[in-house]
Each structure stands twice: as C-alpha cells, then as structure tokens.
Amino acid sequence: AHRLLATLESAGYVQAGANGEWLMGVRAFRVGAAFLSHRNLVVQAYPHLKDLMERSGETANLAVIESGEAVFVEQVQCRELMRMSAKLGARSPIHASGVGKAMLAAMDARSAAAIVGGHALQRYTAHTLTTAAALAKELDATRARGFAIDDEEHANGMRCVASTVYDEYGEPWAAVSLAGPTTRITRERIPALGALV
C-alpha cells in the first residue's frame, strides 16, 4: 500500500500529511475535483470571489501552489466581452503571475527559494522577471504594498492584482486575484483593486 501511495504521490494524485495521513493532490482535482474534498475552500471562496467580481467588474480567481506552479481552482468571470479566462486546473508560472507572486511573498525566504529554484526563470513576455534578484526585489515590493501585481508578465495586454489566503495556521495556502486587460486595469486603478483583494 505504501509503494502505491508513493507512486501516486510522485504523480501528484496524493500528498503526505503532517501526521502520517494521506490527502488528495491537485492532479486528482484536475480529473475529478477531489483535491478540495477535505476542505471547503472553493465553496467558502465562491461568494467572496463573486463579490470581488461585482465590486471590481473584473474576473476573480482562486489559485493554489502545486509542484512549483500556481493552479487555478475557481474563477468567477466578469461580464465584459474582453476578459481573463482560465480553465479550472490550468497552471500558471509562479514567478510570472499575480497569484504566484502573492503566495511567494507570504512565504519565508527559504520556502520561496525552494519553490522557485536557483535556475533562470522562463521569459513569457518582455515584462517577465527572469532573474532571482529581480523577483526578490518584486517580492519585497509586494510585501510592502500588501498585494502582488502581474503587469503583463505572463501575457501581453493582461494585468492582475492578487493577495494571499492564509490557512488556519497562518501559512500561505492560496491566493485570490482580479485580472483583466490593461485597457481596463490601468496603472491608476491598481491601488484600488489591490485594496479589494
């Protein structure tokens, strides 16, 4: 049984708990939405995401970290024709997404470095942060302002503001974001959206 669980763990279907128990992994969520069955995160988050969407007019997202990437587990799309849309279970680079940077900024430096690694960071646009030093500077700025910004770092023409969701132990566990085109999420609007998230 242990060998089977270890195999499932390496594939991301389960994860070992702190007290020897086994929990469903994110990969299981992607095929059956079972990842969050041990917690009601999505159910609890949905009304807040809907409220964020209504108050901002932009798409609201909820993401968690799995295998060094941000994974979208819930979304409430805005009513605008031009909007951010991600399939549930879609992955986003942790260094080039608002939700990823929000969660990294809430971690201690050692945990964040372990997730990001010491290698070069992949470039997605001309705005992507591709060095550990540039990312560390941005994470410091994120902590100081209280929310993260993805300023066309993952996709040209898209901006996002995000903030961390903490678990019952005060540890970063997920992130919420508001995302949309740069024509609506202007730099002048970022502080107000940051306050909302």
Side-chain angles (χ1 to χ4, degrees), residues 47 91 114 129:
R91 293 173 172 271
L129 304 175

Side-chain angles (χ1 to χ4, degrees), residues 68-134:
E69 295 178 293
V71 179
F72 292 96
V73 295
E74 184 60 285
Q75 182 178 78
V76 177
Q77 289 190 11
C78 70
R79 296 180 182 90
E80 300 290 337
L81 182 61
M82 297 293 293
R83 61 183 174 234
M84 185 264 196
S85 178
K87 289 183 179 180
L88 297 186
R91 293 173 172 271
S92 187
I94 198 157
H95 71 285
S97 64
V99 288
K101 291 194 292 182
M103 289 185 276
L104 285 174
M107 296 177 188
D108 62 78
R110 180 178 291 174
S111 298
I115 290 173
V116 174
H119 53 280
L121 304 173
Q122 184 174 343
R123 179 178 298 281
Y124 295 92
T125 73
H127 305 282
T128 305
L129 304 175
T130 58
T131 66

Side-chain angles (χ1 to χ4, degrees), residues 139-159:
L139 296 180
D140 286 342
T142 295
R143 289 181 200 99
R145 84 171 77 85
F147 59 90
I149 302 169
D150 167 1
D151 192 2
E152 299 186 83
E153 295 164 48
H154 186 225
N156 287 316
M158 294 295 290
R159 258 191 207 111

Side-chain angles (χ1 to χ4, degrees), residues 48-79:
H48 299 287
L49 294 174
K50 189 168 188 321
D51 180 60
L52 274 173
M53 185 278 291
E54 296 287 355
R55 291 169 63 193
S56 68
E58 302 299 343
T59 296
N61 303 288
L62 178 70
V64 296
I65 291 179
E66 202 275 326
S67 298
E69 295 178 293
V71 179
F72 292 96
V73 295
E74 184 60 285
Q75 182 178 78
V76 177
Q77 289 190 11
C78 70
R79 296 180 182 90

Side-chain angles (χ1 to χ4, degrees), residues 4-16 22-31 34-35 65-67 71 91:
L4 290 173
L5 285 167
T7 300
L8 290 171
E9 182 181 33
S10 68
Y13 286 97
V14 299
Q15 53 190 4
W22 290 91
L23 307 170
M24 299 304 291
V26 171
R27 194 113 186 235
F29 170 80
R30 293 180 73 186
V31 295
F35 168 67
I65 291 179
E66 202 275 326
S67 298
V71 179
R91 293 173 172 271

Side-chain angles (χ1 to χ4, degrees), residues 145-149 159-161 178 185-197:
R145 84 171 77 85
F147 59 90
I149 302 169
R159 258 191 207 111
C160 167
V161 295
L178 290 168
I185 300 185
T186 61
R187 286 192 172 89
E188 293 74 25
R189 227 181 135 206
I190 287 175
L193 294 176
L196 285 176
V197 295

